[in-house]
Amino acid sequence: MTAVTTGATTTGAVGTAHTRVEGRDKVTGAARYAGEIPFVGLAHGWLVLSTVARGRILTVETGPVLGMPGVLTVLHHGNAPRLDTDYIGMLGFPPDPTAAVFQSDRVPHAGWPVALVVAETPEQAREAAEALVVTYEREPHDAELSADRPDAYPADGHMPAVTEKGDLEAGLAGCAHVVDEEYTTPEEHHAMMEPHAAAALWDGGRLEVVDSNQGTTWVADEIARMFSLDASAVRVRSEHVGGGFGSKGLRAHQVCAVMAATALRRPVRVVLTRRQMFSLTGYRSPTVQRIRLGAGPDGRLRALEHRSLNQTSTVWEFVEPGAGVARVMYDADAHRTSNEVVRLDVPSPTWMRAPGEAPGSFALEAALDELAERCGIDPVELRLRNDPERGPVSGLPFAGRNLAACFREGARRFGWAGRDPRPGTRREGRWLLGTGTAAASFPSGALPSTAAVTAEADGTFTVRIAAADIGTGARTALTLVAADALRVAPDRVRVRIGDSDFGPAGIAGGSMGTRSWAWAVTAAAEELRGRLVHGGAVPPEGVTVRSDTTAALGALAQRERHSFGAQFAEVAVDVATGEVRVRRMLGVFAAGRIVNPLTARGQLVGGMTWGISMALHEEAVRDRASGGLHGADLAGYHVATHADVPEVEADWVDDPDPDDPVGIKGIGEVGIVGAAAAVANAVWHATGVRHRNLPIRPDRVLRAGGPGV
């Protein structure tokens, strides 16, 4: 047996920059992703998707395909096992029926899964899938979202559909300055580097799924329920994830892999193509938002209305809560917000980085900029004057709201004080120059989680937690957190993640991952350190302590908990071509204690970069005739590339959360919030023309005109 000394002083690892602990594995190819891991006897599945937007499957002509080389089986609604979808999952929602494949002959949207061809090789599976003949009874479809849809209705989602106080119409009527405008955002897609992939196999009566997901506990729970299996009979592993952004939960490909592995009693992997991902893995719904703001002569808000409308599928109600941001950012005596949906013959939307806040902040922060212009007040000053002390809707105190500090520091660093407020006055040759700003916020939550920390006999420590590192640097952050809680150097800590056998843990989503997991790791590590101080030597099998944060989170006082930020952008607009170039961006954030400045800055800059992409490029266009998308690939769906991304700076102010054991809030999503609005507001400042419809394409700039355009 070996004695272990944890040390008497804190290492101070949290708050210092550390490279990723798995960085070398990733850059050398040693890190294997879900689509690359080998299995003995692996077969390959290829999905066949519907070519009609609404209707009924008449025939699936499997005979010719089953005779093709290497084909093992074809699964479809006529032979697939029945699945249980009558349950509420661990996140509090029933399953999206898109994942419950092959349960009926109905087709609710273009790209609906109608069959899975399984073969010995991916090439054989693809060839056979492309040869499979499926006939349909086509029905008329409706895939067009508009502001005047009579069938739109309020929907709750994860927050109340409508909040209301005061007399809105009377409040607006009595205001010196009023903004009443409509803003739209298009359909957007996650477009992460790693496609969705999953392999399933049975081993000794236990189902194992090797996957790319944002929460192994979540996916294991869904699969167990859907296939009516005991929870202990399902294991999900997801060690490395090449991006998720909200889309990597339970999807059709995992269910297909399990079905095929069960039917063939051998491992089966299903990997989605990029084009299939545009139909099967969710997206950000387009929104139509109406903002009405009323202010007194001093610019203080007296009336505020934010109505947000999004589309959802006919089989699944998903709410993009764009109006939710107004419930946090600004107060008024008359205050009304509404999230509404309309059911269309389209795929189901889903969570996408900063759901609700990203599109909602574009509309709200663009409207605030318009109000500042009408009031003759600087946009930063207007926001500071309307910075509330309590939650505008909840009435709860904020657990820290350092938005004003973000704006003051950001304005200083960006050089805002020298800005000429008049639009269209700065020019460099053919380029018009302008600057804009916007506020950002995103909820700071935590999910119950468990963690196990083991003191090993060799003097090292092993942390086991079903966390998911979707590119955020979670492994590294948890290594630093554990090291400080144990009072040892980080190189004495190993963190193992991505395995549902490690016990329940929160998902990598909602900017809650690091906070949820760090809380559990800290609790286990601190208890272990206490035992070691009084317990002496460590036996060969080690000493393990397990934590569960359920009770601690349940005891938290009610507060408005959010990260905040101030975004600044400078753009140049080509008067000849309508091209918009972002020249520089600065974001200053109040986002709790920063665990690892190196990866945190990467997360914030990544979010801001996505904001540039949202403002100027991203737009999935749905064809009215077919109900499908034009250019459903990365050639037709444009995202920001290196040439579009200038100097982007992200920094933060001191903002630890006093109710969190590490002081964490969350940074994964706040970086994109407000970024598109800051760019749009800068385009107005450059040209004198408002763009209320994203993206700000060159043709829209040219049609809108403006000084010299």
Side-chain angles (χ1 to χ4, degrees):
M1 299 198 305
T2 303
V4 173
T5 303
T6 59
T9 59
T10 303
T11 65
V14 170
T16 59
H18 283 256
T19 57
R20 294 172 187 264
V21 296
E22 81 285 10
R24 178 177 290 274
D25 287 346
K26 285 185 173 178
V27 300
T28 60
R32 286 180 168 173
Y33 291 80
E36 321 180 285
I37 299 172
F39 296 94
V40 175
L42 181 66
H44 301 269
W46 201 279
L47 272 163
V48 179
L49 307 185
S50 71
T51 56
V52 302
R54 183 180 176 187
R56 186 169 68 88
I57 301 169
L58 296 178
T59 63
V60 181
E61 299 180 19
T62 61
V65 167
L66 288 171
M68 294 179 69
V71 174
L72 301 170
T73 190
V74 179
L75 296 174
H76 53 88
H77 72 279
N79 62 6
R82 299 301 93 186
L83 301 175
D84 181 7
T85 57
D86 187 19
Y87 65 85
I88 301 298
M90 64 173 284
L91 298 185
F93 299 96
D96 180 348
T98 305
V101 291
F102 316 143
Q103 297 302 289
S104 79
D105 63 357
R106 296 298 307 169
V107 174
H109 63 74
W112 178 262
V114 296
L116 179 78
V117 177
V118 186
E120 295 286 355
T121 70
E123 294 79 11
Q124 290 170 333
R126 178 174 186 169
E127 183 179 6
E130 292 175 348
L132 183 67
V133 176
V134 182
T135 60
Y136 305 90
E137 179 183 300
R138 188 188 299 264
E139 299 173 2
H141 66 268
D142 180 3
E144 187 174 1
L145 179 68
S146 62
D148 56 354
R149 295 282 311 208
D151 50 347
Y153 61 94
D156 289 340
H158 72 284
M159 63 176 65
V162 178
T163 65
E164 191 166 17
K165 67 178 181 181
D167 188 330
L168 185 69
E169 299 304 330
L172 289 167
C175 288
H177 305 285
V178 174
V179 171
D180 182 352
E181 299 293 349
E182 181 179 283
Y183 303 83
T184 69
T185 61
E187 181 176 322
E188 300 172 64
H189 287 258
H190 298 81
M192 75 293 294
M193 291 180 67
E194 181 203 18
H196 294 61
L201 62 151
W202 288 91
D203 183 8
R206 195 172 190 224
L207 175 66
E208 182 167 340
V209 177
V210 179
D211 186 18
S212 175
N213 66 53
Q214 293 180 231
T216 55
T217 305
W218 175 24
V219 174
D221 176 75
E222 295 271 0
I223 289 174
R225 291 174 185 269
M226 192 171 282
F227 285 88
S228 300
L229 299 171
D230 188 270
S232 64
V234 180
R235 181 190 189 189
V236 175
R237 292 190 291 125
S238 180
E239 187 174 359
H240 296 288
V241 181
F245 305 123
S247 74
K248 285 186 174 175
L250 185 72
R251 299 287 175 195
H253 64 289
Q254 295 122 312
V255 177
C256 284
V258 173
M259 281 185 173
T262 303
L264 297 172
R265 286 292 161 176
R266 61 185 285 187
V268 176
R269 179 153 59 216
V270 180
V271 181
L272 298 185
T273 68
R274 183 66 62 179
R275 183 171 288 273
Q276 288 173 341
M277 287 164 59
F278 276 81
S279 299
L280 296 179
T281 62
Y283 58 94
R284 196 196 308 281
S285 167
T287 68
V288 181
Q289 302 178 61
R290 185 185 183 189
I291 305 287
R292 293 200 290 172
L293 303 176
D298 60 356
R300 297 187 186 277
L301 288 167
R302 297 180 181 177
L304 182 155
E305 181 183 36
H306 190 165
R307 174 182 178 263
S308 180
L309 173 67
N310 74 270
Q311 70 187 30
T312 191
S313 69
T314 59
V315 297
W316 172 248
E317 182 182 87
F318 180 84
V319 183
E320 179 75 32
V325 67
R327 303 176 187 182
V328 174
M329 291 306 298
Y330 306 109
D331 201 0
D333 292 336
H335 194 287
R336 186 180 191 279
T337 65
S338 175
N339 290 310
E340 303 174 17
V341 300
V342 61
R343 291 181 179 268
L344 299 175
D345 301 312
V346 296
S348 300
T350 194
W351 313 108
M352 184 165 166
R353 197 177 200 178
E357 275 77 7
S361 68
F362 162 66
L364 183 62
E365 293 298 316
L368 257 290
D369 208 65
E370 298 200 44
L371 182 65
E373 177 194 0
R374 296 180 193 188
C375 293
I377 299 174
D378 178 81
V380 170
E381 176 59 27
L382 182 75
R383 288 168 172 82
L384 294 176
R385 290 186 191 183
N386 286 286
D387 195 22
E389 295 182 358
R390 304 179 75 86
V393 172
S394 70
L396 294 171
F398 287 97
R401 183 182 171 109
N402 290 331
L403 179 62
C406 295
F407 268 113
R408 292 190 177 104
E409 175 63 13
R412 182 190 68 79
R413 289 181 53 172
F414 194 74
W416 188 263
R419 177 184 189 258
D420 185 336
R422 297 173 300 167
T425 57
R426 290 179 61 201
R427 182 186 289 268
E428 286 183 5
R430 70 177 193 271
W431 297 94
L432 292 170
L433 307 182
T435 53
T437 189
S441 74
F442 197 79
S444 172
L447 294 171
S449 299
T450 63
V453 181
T454 300
E456 308 289 358
D458 64 359
T460 63
F461 298 85
T462 302
V463 176
R464 293 176 177 85
I465 185 168
D469 192 333
I470 59 173
T472 55
R475 277 185 188 80
T476 310
L478 295 179
T479 300
L480 305 184
V481 167
D484 276 8
L486 292 165
R487 298 186 182 178
V488 301
D491 61 7
R492 289 175 60 187
V493 177
R494 293 186 301 271
V495 174
R496 295 183 58 194
I497 66 172
D499 190 333
S500 63
D501 275 1
F502 293 161
I507 65 169
S511 297
M512 296 183 288
T514 301
R515 186 180 187 202
S516 302
W517 308 322
W519 199 315
V521 169
T522 298
E526 289 182 344
E527 183 180 340
L528 177 62
R529 180 168 56 84
R531 288 193 191 182
L532 294 176
V533 168
H534 300 97
V538 175
E541 69 273 16
V543 176
T544 298
V545 169
R546 188 167 188 82
S547 65
D548 186 337
T549 63
T550 303
L553 293 177
L556 278 175
Q558 290 290 303
R559 297 282 191 274
E560 285 277 2
R561 303 180 189 277
H562 306 269
S563 294
F564 292 95
Q567 303 273 19
F568 296 84
E570 180 178 45
V571 304
V573 182
D574 188 323
V575 299
T577 66
E579 178 185 5
V580 178
R581 287 285 183 186
V582 177
R583 291 217 170 164
R584 60 188 177 109
M585 285 191 78
L586 168 67
V588 178
F589 301 93
R593 188 180 181 196
I594 302 301
V595 176
N596 184 357
L598 186 64
T599 53
R601 185 168 281 106
Q603 282 296 293
L604 294 169
V605 169
M608 294 168 69
T609 300
W610 202 344
I612 295 173
S613 198
M614 177 182 178
L616 303 180
H617 302 290
E618 296 194 41
E619 182 180 26
V621 179
R622 198 161 289 278
D623 178 30
R624 294 183 186 178
S626 70
L629 292 175
H630 293 287
D633 50 46
L634 293 184
Y637 180 78
H638 295 169
V639 298
T641 59
H642 288 295
D644 304 301
V645 182
E647 179 183 0
V648 178
E649 295 182 74
D651 211 337
W652 43 83
V653 298
D654 191 43
D655 184 54
D657 185 337
D659 295 327
D660 183 273
V662 186
I664 297 169
K665 285 187 176 179
I667 61 170
E669 290 164 283
V670 72
I672 190 176
V673 181
V679 172
N681 293 338
V683 171
W684 167 80
H685 188 232
T687 65
V689 175
R690 293 285 177 188
H691 288 269
R692 303 184 182 96
N693 306 294
L694 295 184
I696 306 173
R697 303 189 312 252
D699 62 306
R700 288 177 169 169
V701 173
L702 292 175
R703 284 201 305 268
V709 180

